[in-house]
Amino acid sequence: MTTIEQASASLVPYKLEQAVGGSGVAAVDMIVVELVDSDGATGLGFSYVLGGGGELALRAADAQLARFVRGQPATAPRALWKKISQSFNRTGLGPNLVGLAAVDVAAWDLHARRQNLPMGVAMGGQIRATPVYGSGGFNVVQSAAEAAHVAEAAVKRGLGAVKPRIAGVRKDVEVISAVRQAIGNRAHVMLDANEKCDLAAAQWLMAHARDNDVLFVEEPLPASALHGYKVLSRMAGAPIATGEHLQGLRDFTALIAEGIVSVVQPDLAMIGGLTPSLDLAVLAEAFDVSVSPHFLPGLFVHLAAASPAVRWLEEFPLLEPMFDGLPEIAKDGTMSATAAPGHGLSLSKKALAVQAPFPG
């Protein structure tokens, strides 16, 4: 019987040169899990806390490894995820789920490597080219001209859509107009409000977005504003996308089942890994909702291989310097998983230089 002989958790703190995105992220704590089984096969997993403060998630991951993985028989990823997640019934999700995401990715990587298959194929899919949209380079403080310049550069690289940042304010009119004028009909325009609107501003924004041929508006309201999202879904506005701030699969069910959203955007750490992301994709397929995961296209390209519901991958460079082996974006603006076994990623020299093993 194959057993897990080594299972370790470590922290990779990563400080960015400047804040990025609508949330102004300037630091990331990456939780890294490494597995080695009795046959010598390995698995690498990771999760993260945007903004830093990943110590609690690191402790959670190490505790899960000690209780359910280290020295135990090798378990299929889905079964392992269910076993670990059931232990949260008295402590809740929070850091537990963020830590589990790292364990889960490592389990899938090990599972695929043992079969000598790319992870997406081991998850039951087949490698396919998936469109990528440009999200990096945009921020809410840039001028309309600056946003248009970023959009034009992305479209020249072949990307099929761009997603500038907006905030439900009058300046958004200028940004949308400038971006649309810069790229014409060569690509879609999406918008990311990053939870910055109240209901009145969101209603105004959704109507304006509809009139300007916007593909979807991301997070026009805070993730917890279920009533507000219901109101938005009843008006004839632009399609709604949300999900990166939702924890676990259950938070998505009402949004999908009640027809509130057109696009769901799971975040690897918040949803708890690849297993619930795959479950979400299956649910989305059943309701004709599309999936566009929150950044990390080099990993989520495997989810795209496993589910046709994944229609877009987001190019938002953030953790990429921490890894080697990332797939590239093709000239036609799509990304495909490589033929490497597992997810094909390894920690870069930059990550290894600051990696700190769990002290417990």
Side-chain angles (χ1 to χ4, degrees):
M1 177 182 294
T2 303
T3 58
I4 305 299
E5 294 197 342
Q6 299 177 43
S8 62
S10 59
L11 190 70
V12 176
Y14 175 37
K15 292 185 177 181
L16 283 68
E17 294 182 359
Q18 61 182 18
V20 298
S23 301
V25 175
V28 183
D29 276 355
M30 232 171 62
I31 297 93
V32 174
V33 166
E34 296 173 273
L35 306 177
V36 181
D37 71 15
S38 53
D39 295 325
T42 62
L44 172 68
F46 63 95
S47 183
Y48 43 82
V49 178
L50 301 181
E55 293 83 3
L56 288 176
L58 174 65
R59 288 183 175 276
D62 185 74
Q64 292 163 24
L65 294 176
R67 184 176 177 186
F68 298 104
V69 180
R70 199 175 295 133
Q72 301 292 319
T75 306
R78 182 178 296 279
L80 180 62
W81 193 94
K82 289 183 177 179
K83 181 187 295 185
I84 295 175
S85 65
Q86 287 170 356
S87 71
F88 303 160
N89 65 325
R90 296 294 183 182
T91 56
L93 301 180
N96 285 329
L97 204 60
V98 177
L100 176 52
V103 177
D104 184 61
V105 173
W108 275 110
D109 189 39
L110 175 64
H111 177 72
R113 286 174 179 270
R114 286 187 59 84
Q115 298 178 70
N116 197 34
L117 292 174
M119 181 185 289
V121 178
M123 295 173 83
Q126 59 182 355
I127 293 176
R128 67 180 177 95
T130 305
V132 179
Y133 71 85
S135 177
F138 293 107
N139 62 71
V140 75
V141 300
Q142 66 191 172
S143 68
E146 290 168 334
H149 177 74
V150 174
E152 173 68 13
V155 174
K156 282 184 176 180
R157 291 170 47 224
L159 301 186
V162 294
K163 192 179 72 178
R165 304 297 188 272
I166 42 82
V169 297
R170 295 302 304 177
K171 175 191 168 187
D172 297 346
V173 175
E174 299 175 12
V175 171
I176 297 168
S177 177
V179 168
R180 175 56 74 194
Q181 185 174 358
I183 68 174
N185 292 320
R186 292 176 292 163
H188 286 291
V189 174
M190 308 159 173
L191 300 175
D192 188 353
N194 204 246
E195 299 189 322
K196 288 184 170 60
C197 301
D198 60 17
L199 183 55
Q203 288 173 303
W204 169 83
L205 175 62
M206 301 305 283
H208 186 75
R210 173 202 60 209
D211 294 341
N212 285 269
D213 194 30
V214 168
L215 186 62
F216 65 70
V217 178
E218 177 178 335
E219 292 190 320
L221 293 169
S224 60
L226 182 58
H227 172 73
Y229 274 112
K230 288 181 179 179
V231 172
L232 292 184
S233 70
R234 290 195 294 264
M235 65 178 285
I240 299 170
T242 192
E244 70 176 74
H245 290 102
L246 298 179
Q247 261 215 312
L249 182 61
R250 290 185 183 275
D251 284 352
F252 287 90
T253 55
L255 293 171
I256 294 175
E258 297 188 34
I260 295 170
V261 295
S262 299
V263 183
V264 288
Q265 301 171 298
D267 175 87
L268 179 74
M270 292 293 283
I271 199 171
L274 291 169
T275 294
S277 296
L278 184 56
D279 289 343
L280 176 62
V282 173
L283 180 64
E285 281 186 54
F287 284 86
D288 297 315
V289 170
S290 64
V291 179
S292 178
H294 183 220
F295 81 111
L296 289 176
L299 178 68
F300 277 120
V301 70
H302 292 282
L303 183 67
S307 171
V310 180
R311 306 291 173 82
W312 289 99
L313 297 172
E314 179 182 20
E315 185 198 37
F316 181 77
L318 185 62
L319 296 183
E320 278 74 4
M322 299 291 100
F323 296 100
D324 293 329
L326 291 161
E328 297 182 353
I329 299 174
K331 291 182 179 179
D332 65 354
T334 64
M335 179 180 287
S336 302
T338 69
H343 50 50
L345 308 180
S346 59
L347 294 178
S348 67
K349 290 182 179 179
K350 186 171 184 176
L352 294 171
V354 295
Q355 185 178 21
F358 182 74

